[in-house]
Amino acid sequence: MRYLFLIPAAILFASTANANNSLDSIFFIPKSKEIVSESSYNYSDATYKDGVNDKQELRIQTLKERVSFGITDKLYTNLEISYIDSNQKDISSTTGQFTETVNNGVSNPELSVGYRFADNDNNGFFSDLELSYAPNITNSKTGDSSKGGNVASGRSEYEVAGSYGMLFDKVSFKVDASVRYLDDAKTELMFDHAVEKIDSSIDAEFGITGQYKFNQNLSLNASLSQLLRGSYKIDKTNKIQGGDEVNLGTRLNYSIVPDKALVSVAYNYITVEDVHNTDSTGTVVTSSDRDRDEIEISFRYKF
């Protein structure tokens, strides 16, 4: 592993305990019969090299809606759906000419259910477990320079996630970990309508998030996470390895109406390990310099 997982020490100082579970809290979950809506816009910008040293420019815009409902004070459910617009340019290293590929549409919806096993008032810390399921409801189609595709994954996905954290007077922190199983997938290539078969794989992620609360309206988050991507094969021949990510992020939260309406602005810098494609003859093609920036604006409202 070439990346080291570092903990930002500046967010780990603390003082007097306070069990406030406000809308901007990193521990927030909806209470019984509460409905919370979170709408967000994310812009991702990446430039990298493919295996023949051509430059790839990838721009992704995502509109996401997440609705949460409190079944009890400890049990809750979430439904999340996204519209994604992906634009990729393949720029020749010799001529400077480029081809453009567009994939857009609605991604597979994700349904999750979570349970709070411990809270700050009763246990002195927070502990949650969440199970997620994203069903495969649309066939995956990958576009080319003449015809666009969609953003469906072509597979079902399952995830188990857990977290632990503590809340103090103005500072809180949370560590979390998750394992995600990605089922076998099929995707149609719009160029010739051939179908690629992608083997199942397992991703794992772990991270830490800290928050400093200036007052009831304003708070600042800092986070660091590591995503480990499992290897897989395409059509039982090409083996894909690499693509692990380290995400360093910050988020500024402002409560327009405390515990009712919240707006947040976030920035993430993501470093990505080289991706290696090994074919049946042992030839390796490497995609490198895949680091990217992400900016997100979100609005959370409690009904």
Side-chain angles (χ1 to χ4, degrees):
M1 186 65 57
R2 72 178 192 179
Y3 295 116
L4 294 177
F5 186 74
L6 303 177
I7 299 177
I11 59 177
L12 297 181
F13 296 100
S15 56
T16 310
N18 183 342
N20 177 35
N21 189 29
S22 59
L23 198 60
D24 67 331
S25 171
I26 58 177
F27 305 111
F28 175 81
I29 63 171
K31 294 182 180 179
S32 177
K33 299 181 181 179
E34 285 184 346
I35 299 175
V36 178
S37 168
E38 182 171 0
S39 305
S40 63
Y41 167 79
N42 181 288
Y43 176 79
S44 175
D45 185 339
T47 301
Y48 58 94
K49 294 179 181 178
D50 63 15
V52 294
N53 289 321
D54 284 355
K55 186 169 74 171
Q56 307 281 338
E57 291 183 353
L58 180 61
R59 310 286 184 266
I60 299 177
Q61 300 182 81
T62 304
L63 291 173
K64 182 185 297 182
E65 178 63 29
R66 180 183 177 92
V67 178
S68 304
F69 175 71
I71 301 171
T72 70
D73 285 349
K74 290 181 176 290
L75 182 65
Y76 59 93
T77 184
N78 307 306
L79 176 62
E80 183 177 294
I81 192 166
S82 301
Y83 177 86
I84 302 173
D85 181 77
S86 172
N87 182 290
Q88 180 169 320
K89 291 182 180 179
D90 185 350
I91 305 171
S92 171
S93 59
T94 56
T95 66
Q97 295 181 324
F98 67 88
T99 57
E100 187 173 14
T101 302
V102 175
N103 294 292
N104 54 38
V106 177
S107 65
N108 293 344
E110 182 167 292
L111 179 65
S112 60
V113 59
Y115 186 77
R116 173 149 292 172
F117 286 93
D119 60 67
N120 208 66
D121 287 340
N122 297 306
N123 309 98
F125 62 92
F126 289 95
S127 180
D128 297 324
L129 179 68
E130 192 167 296
L131 307 176
S132 303
Y133 171 57
N136 177 28
I137 62 172
T138 304
N139 293 333
S140 175
K141 298 181 179 181
T142 300
D144 63 6
S145 57
S146 61
K147 191 171 184 180
N150 62 24
V151 296
S153 66
R155 67 173 96 200
S156 296
E157 301 179 16
Y158 310 83
E159 184 176 83
V160 179
S163 65
Y164 168 88
M166 298 183 71
L167 174 65
F168 301 93
D169 183 34
K170 291 187 177 182
V171 177
S172 54
F173 75 93
K174 178 175 68 171
V175 292
D176 52 73
S178 64
V179 176
R180 192 172 190 90
Y181 175 76
L182 294 81
D183 206 354
D184 294 342
K186 294 181 180 180
T187 182
E188 179 185 355
L189 306 180
M190 302 307 292
F191 172 71
D192 56 3
H193 298 288
V195 175
E196 280 187 343
K197 296 181 180 180
I198 304 170
D199 288 350
S200 62
S201 60
I202 297 176
D203 295 345
E205 187 170 12
F206 55 95
I208 182 169
T209 301
Q211 182 181 81
Y212 182 83
K213 197 170 181 68
F214 297 95
N215 51 51
Q216 67 173 350
N217 296 98
L218 190 65
S219 62
L220 179 66
N221 297 5
S223 62
L224 184 62
S225 64
Q226 170 92 64
L227 172 62
L228 306 175
R229 295 191 183 276
S231 62
Y232 58 90
K233 286 186 177 181
I234 299 177
D235 291 333
K236 304 297 181 182
T237 55
N238 288 17
K239 185 176 182 179
I240 310 298
Q241 294 175 290
D244 294 352
E245 299 183 358
V246 174
N247 186 329
L248 180 62
T250 183
R251 178 181 296 270
L252 183 65
N253 310 295
Y254 181 76
S255 296
I256 303 171
V257 180
D259 206 33
K260 186 70 174 180
L262 176 76
V263 62
S264 300
V265 179
Y267 169 76
N268 297 295
Y269 176 70
I270 301 165
T271 63
V272 185
E273 187 181 40
D274 292 351
V275 176
H276 308 286
N277 185 339
T278 306
D279 65 19
S280 58
T281 67
T283 302
V284 180
V285 176
T286 300
S287 177
S288 60
D289 300 328
R290 298 174 66 92
D291 299 354
R292 67 182 186 271
D293 300 281
E294 289 185 358
I295 298 174
E296 183 176 280
I297 300 173
S298 62
F299 176 72
R300 183 181 288 183
Y301 186 82
K302 183 193 295 183
F303 292 92

